[in-house]
């Protein structure tokens, strides 16, 4: 019996590629260069299963081309699926899976990294040392703010939001508030956690960290009004998706001192970054590293393998989307 074919758009960690190749006829993107829309459409059409990731834009054209060819399943490498036209997939009866759970810790750790880098001015300090501009210890040098005991507002209290709440509360004694589209009865497992509207949360928080999925409902959920409610001493952290923040309003808040700083791992239209963000003061900018641990990236690949194998066997998908 022939093995199902699978189209992988980017290189994966070796262990995950090997696990996939043990069960499928795989076409890898050998040089790992981003694929054009034409190459994506061809790859989708020529394989039973497509395994794209966040750096591929899988619009209706690609899904339609896949459906007109051989594509019967999309097994996304990653938890976020805002780069895939899910309605087009559903219209063709093409199931979509993702990789929840296995990148929770990695992404939560990175959100805490950004919080600490901001309030302790670690990015500025590192740049100063590397530029050979450090003139020595002095009481007023690069003085930041404490993180311990401060108030954290989480927008999107799913797996990653809860993991951030847990770290912040139990590791740093922070008070945690959150905004979420559905009720979280146990407050995410952190005692005293309070639900608030986005504006209330922004007004009451020293750090606002975004962990919601990018959907039409969350588009620029951190907007001019929400940023305007924040304290000039407060920080924004985004490890979710660029679309959940109004970047123009964020730049304005940074330039006018409306907020103290922003730590960003994700951007609208990445990998291009709005030059105004690059030029804005008090930012820490990372290149979408949330899930970038060896452990998480291998586990993400294994999730794709498990979902694709279930599909090939006619079993329910472990991680269906929608
Ligand atoms: C995800 O999984 O959605 C990350 O943002 C990419 O790894």
């Amino acid at each position: 019996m022939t093995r199902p074919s699978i189209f992988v758009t980017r290189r994966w960690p070796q262990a995950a590629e090997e696990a996939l190749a043990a069960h499928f006829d795989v076409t890898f993107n050998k040089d790992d260069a981003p694929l054009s829309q034409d190459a994506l459409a061809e790859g989708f059409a020529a394989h039973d299963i497509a395994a794209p990731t966040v750096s591929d834009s899988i619009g209706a054209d690609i899904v339609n081309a896949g459906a007109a060819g051989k594509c019967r399943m999309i097994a996304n490498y990653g938890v976020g699926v805002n780069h895939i036209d899910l309605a087009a997939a559903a219209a063709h009866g093409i199931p979509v899976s993702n990789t929840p759970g296995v990148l929770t810790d990695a992404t939560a750790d990175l959100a805490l990294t950004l919080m600490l880098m901001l309030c302790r001015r670690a990015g500025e300090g590192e740049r100063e040392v590397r530029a050979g501009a450090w003139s020595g210890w002095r009481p007023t040098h690069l003085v930041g703010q404490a993180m311990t005991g401060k108030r954290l507002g989480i927008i999107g209290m799913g797996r990653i939001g809860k993991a951030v709440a847990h770290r912040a509360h139990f590791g740093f004694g922070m008070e945690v508030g959150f905004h979420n589209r559905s009720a979280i009865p146990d407050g995410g497992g952190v005692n005293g956690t309070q639900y608030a509207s986005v504006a209330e949360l922004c007004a009451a928080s020293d750090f606002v960290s975004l962990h919601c999925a990018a959907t039409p409902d969350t588009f620029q959920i951190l907007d001019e009004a929400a940023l305007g409610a924040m304290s000039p001493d407060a920080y924004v952290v985004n490890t979710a998706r660029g679309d959940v923040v109004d970047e123009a309003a964020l730049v304005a808040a940074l330039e006018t001192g409306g907020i103290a700083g922003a730590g960003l791992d994700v951007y609208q239209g990445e990998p291009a970054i709005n030059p105004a963000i690059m030029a804005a003061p008090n930012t820490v900018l990372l290149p979408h590293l949330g899930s970038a641990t060896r452990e998480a990236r291998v586990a993400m690949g294994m999730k794709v393998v498990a979902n694709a194998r279930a599909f090939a066997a006619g079993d329910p998908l472990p991680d269906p989307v929608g």
Side-chain angles (χ1 to χ4, degrees), residues 72-276:
R72 297 296 172 260
M73 183 203 180
I74 300 174
N76 186 57
Y77 180 94
V79 70
V81 287
N82 60 310
H83 56 290
I84 300 174
D85 190 325
L86 297 176
H92 290 290
I94 295 178
V96 178
S97 66
N98 67 347
T99 66
V102 295
L103 46 79
T104 301
D105 288 331
T107 308
D109 289 351
L110 199 83
L112 272 285
T113 304
L114 285 169
M115 288 165 63
L116 282 165
M117 286 184 75
L118 284 166
C119 70
R120 299 307 305 274
R121 305 181 66 177
E124 288 171 79
E126 220 256 352
R127 287 192 290 276
E128 183 179 282
V129 169
R130 286 189 186 281
W134 181 35
S135 59
W137 194 92
R138 58 192 191 279
T140 55
H141 180 224
L142 286 182
V143 173
Q145 301 188 56
M147 191 158 102
T148 298
K150 295 289 174 69
R151 298 164 303 174
L152 168 64
I154 293 181
I155 299 179
M157 197 68 153
R159 286 184 192 83
I160 298 170
K162 287 176 185 165
V164 171
H166 197 269
R167 283 158 170 74
H169 183 71
F170 294 109
F172 293 88
M174 298 180 83
E175 263 176 52
V176 181
F178 70 94
H179 176 82
N180 200 63
R181 90 197 133 141
S182 51
I184 307 285
D186 67 348
V190 173
N191 285 343
T193 300
Q194 295 288 328
Y195 173 87
S197 70
V198 172
E200 289 165 348
L201 191 70
C202 287
S205 299
D206 301 303
F207 294 81
V208 171
S209 193
L210 290 131
H211 299 288
C212 49
T215 67
D217 287 343
T218 61
F219 181 72
Q220 299 189 351
I221 190 167
L222 196 73
D223 60 9
E224 191 180 350
L227 286 158
M230 289 179 66
S231 150
D233 286 335
Y235 302 97
V236 167
V237 166
N238 188 8
T239 54
R241 284 292 184 267
D243 278 354
V244 303
V245 173
D246 179 340
E247 286 187 349
L250 180 69
V251 168
L254 288 164
E255 283 173 350
T256 58
I259 61 171
L264 307 176
D265 187 43
V266 287
Y267 309 86
Q268 281 167 27
E270 63 182 58
I273 301 182
N274 178 346

Side-chain angles (χ1 to χ4, degrees), residues 20-36:
L20 193 66
H23 299 283
F24 296 93
D25 281 340
V26 191
T27 303
F28 289 112
N29 172 358
K30 289 204 178 58
D31 62 6
D32 202 24
L35 297 176
S36 67

